[in-house]
Amino acid sequence: MNIICDKSKLLDGINIVLKAIPGKSTMAILECLVNIIKLIANDLEIGIETVIEGQIVEEGNVAIGAKVFSDIIRKLPSEQVEINVNENYQLFIKCGKAKFNIAAKPTDEFPYLPQIVKEKHVEISQFTLKDIIRQTVFSISDNENTKVMTGELFEITDNKLKVVSLDGHRISIRNVELNNSYDNISVIIPGKTLIEINKILNGGVDDIVKIYFTD
């Protein structure tokens, strides 16, 4: 594998997917990022995939220790980064006068994100979604014994979105009118997922989020 990309874009992508890297895990492969131009992380509760712009000289897949890789990229000068991986899974990073050589892994054991058939979806602005999360996420339960309360209910009826969170003592309800009408949908989205999404979104009024639902 051989790719070339801008350091700032690579670092932005790393910061996004690091949110799905577990703090501690018995599976070392979960502490890795897979691919470079497409970065994927998955801790088996939340999975994140992001794509960054760059030049792909030679295609390939590799799992990289997330902490080591992110620490290296942060300290690089603001120039083009060239990354090569040889057949022995040695990963070479070059940026300006800086050069690094780290061990990578094959991706055989990595839990890739499931393939989702993107048919049923709703659209909402980033600003509105961030506002909804901010106003409801504080009343999500942190008690794993009541798993259903550790998420938020998203209920869509026609062009109405109703979001509910509760922890047994408090309840938060937010009603939003959507720009379009949709089929009726009722799902619970994990609070951890919503918190990480809230960190990633820039909150632009004109920036649209598409939320896909499957059976």
Side-chain angles (χ1 to χ4, degrees), residues 157-211:
T157 306
D158 197 26
N159 68 332
K160 307 291 185 182
L161 168 63
K162 181 179 182 180
V163 179
V164 182
S165 64
L166 70 163
D167 62 4
H169 302 283
R170 301 169 296 182
I171 182 169
S172 301
I173 302 174
R174 176 71 193 275
N175 292 291
V176 176
E177 185 170 327
L178 303 172
N179 292 329
N180 300 301
S181 296
Y182 301 95
D183 294 336
N184 293 350
I185 298 170
S186 182
V187 297
I188 295 175
I189 301 179
K192 178 183 177 181
T193 301
L194 293 172
I195 290 169
E196 299 305 340
I197 288 172
N198 194 42
K199 294 176 184 177
I200 293 171
L201 299 178
N202 61 41
V205 175
D206 297 324
D207 295 324
I208 300 299
V209 176
K210 291 185 178 180
I211 306 175

Side-chain angles (χ1 to χ4, degrees), residues 4-207:
I4 301 170
C5 59
D6 183 76
K7 181 248 181 153
S8 62
K9 293 179 179 178
L10 179 59
L11 186 57
D12 287 344
I14 291 172
N15 287 336
I16 289 174
V17 295
L18 276 180
K19 303 179 191 308
I21 296 293
K24 294 181 180 179
S25 175
T26 56
M27 297 175 63
I29 196 69
L30 295 182
E31 298 174 11
C32 295
L33 304 176
V34 170
N35 298 343
I36 299 297
I37 298 299
K38 180 185 286 184
L39 295 172
I40 306 170
N42 187 2
D43 69 359
L44 301 184
E45 288 188 11
I46 179 173
I48 301 177
E49 176 180 305
T50 187
V51 177
I52 60 173
E53 296 179 5
Q55 178 185 353
I56 301 176
V57 180
E58 181 181 350
E59 295 182 357
N61 297 325
V62 67
I64 310 166
K67 188 178 186 306
V68 173
F69 185 60
S70 62
D71 286 346
I72 290 174
I73 300 302
R74 280 179 217 286
K75 296 174 182 177
L76 293 177
S78 298
E79 300 181 25
Q80 292 288 95
V81 180
E82 182 175 356
I83 298 175
N84 288 278
V85 182
N86 65 19
E87 64 276 5
N88 297 319
Y89 291 98
Q90 288 296 310
L91 187 139
F92 303 93
I93 302 172
K94 180 180 178 182
C95 181
K97 295 181 179 180
K99 296 181 181 179
F100 293 89
N101 177 7
I102 62 176
K105 301 177 182 179
T107 60
D108 302 344
E109 298 179 5
F110 190 85
Y112 278 90
L113 304 188
Q115 293 296 319
I116 297 175
V117 179
K118 296 182 178 180
E119 293 179 348
K120 186 189 298 183
H121 77 279
V122 300
E123 295 185 359
I124 188 170
S125 74
Q126 290 198 22
F127 176 84
T128 302
L129 183 56
K130 281 181 71 75
D131 201 40
I132 290 171
I133 296 172
R134 178 182 61 82
Q135 293 180 341
T136 58
V137 76
F138 67 89
S139 58
I140 288 177
S141 174
D142 58 3
N143 186 353
E144 290 296 322
N145 292 326
T146 54
K147 193 74 175 178
V148 70
M149 292 187 186
T150 61
E152 295 193 5
L153 172 67
F154 275 59
E155 195 170 63
I156 298 163
T157 306
D158 197 26
N159 68 332
K160 307 291 185 182
L161 168 63
K162 181 179 182 180
V163 179
V164 182
S165 64
L166 70 163
D167 62 4
H169 302 283
R170 301 169 296 182
I171 182 169
S172 301
I173 302 174
R174 176 71 193 275
N175 292 291
V176 176
E177 185 170 327
L178 303 172
N179 292 329
N180 300 301
S181 296
Y182 301 95
D183 294 336
N184 293 350
I185 298 170
S186 182
V187 297
I188 295 175
I189 301 179
K192 178 183 177 181
T193 301
L194 293 172
I195 290 169
E196 299 305 340
I197 288 172
N198 194 42
K199 294 176 184 177
I200 293 171
L201 299 178
N202 61 41
V205 175
D206 297 324
D207 295 324

